[in-house]
Amino acid sequence: MFRLQGSKVLAVDVTGDAVKAKNGSMVAYDGQMAFKKLSGGGEGLRGMVTRRLTGEQMTVMEVRGQGTCWFADRASEINLVALRGDTLYVESSNLLATDAGLRTGTAFTGLRGASQGNGLFTTTVEGTGQAAILSDGPAVVLRVSPQYPLTVDPGAYIAHQGNVRQSFQSGVTFRTLMGEGGGEAFQIRFEGDGLVYVQPSERNTIAGDL
């Protein structure tokens, strides 16, 4: 069971099943715990090769035992996402932990991944259970509907879920409109029905001054 203690510490009750978490994110535990580093996100050889080719880094550890384990990452805000047989698409650097009922993998995302320097793939989390994702500042959850598509700065994008299609656009961005942009700029457009998670802070990208 995942529980937030404040907004920056995740408490996980471990009862024998394996919990996957970002390597090095454990800050405390009680009871009996065993930690094992997993290469390539624990996805086997295919996942390792995919991440190596795309340059997307995701080192995780597996936690087993009996007790409670606490996780945090550089005082980032932590957001809990409940999955019920669906898939969460999340930037690897923003994924903190997944419980035993969820599987992680990689998915092709086209040029959006290239805009962030993370290759052409993103991390997928699927199944039934809870995932904890990180954000620089409190995350905002935005609804995408057929009537109201959503356009997002790639530097603020964290994750999305639901029946959502994404496309990659070049051209005018928010900062360009304000006269603050420079170089080539990109946006992500989401259409369909689902949720998009964004953070109130922009990571550096290689897509230009976004």
Side-chain angles (χ1 to χ4, degrees), residues 191-206:
E191 299 175 279
D193 186 11
L195 302 174
V196 177
Y197 299 80
V198 298
Q199 62 184 7
S201 175
E202 299 176 5
R203 66 176 68 84
N204 292 328
T205 73
I206 61 171

Side-chain angles (χ1 to χ4, degrees), residues 3-81:
R3 295 176 285 110
L4 288 180
Q5 296 195 330
S7 62
K8 299 181 180 181
V9 178
L10 172 69
V12 180
D13 296 324
V14 182
T15 57
D17 291 331
V19 174
K20 292 180 183 178
K22 191 173 187 178
N23 194 52
S25 63
M26 186 277 294
V27 295
Y29 70 89
D30 61 21
Q32 298 294 322
M33 297 289 173
F35 301 88
K36 178 183 178 182
K37 183 177 179 180
L38 300 176
S39 299
E43 303 145 331
L45 181 61
R46 182 177 180 275
M48 291 175 63
V49 171
T50 298
R51 294 190 184 281
R52 190 168 299 163
L53 289 176
T54 61
E56 184 184 8
Q57 300 298 317
M58 181 186 176
T59 304
V60 303
M61 60 183 176
E62 182 182 83
V63 183
R64 291 181 181 271
Q66 298 287 336
T68 302
C69 196
W70 288 268
F71 302 95
D73 185 61
R74 294 174 297 178
S76 297
E77 299 283 335
I78 302 173
N79 314 270
L80 296 183
V81 179

Side-chain angles (χ1 to χ4, degrees), residues 26 54 94 96 116 130 151 189 210:
M26 186 277 294
T54 61
N94 293 100
L96 176 63
Q116 298 183 19
Q130 287 182 299
T151 302
R189 181 179 173 87
L210 300 179

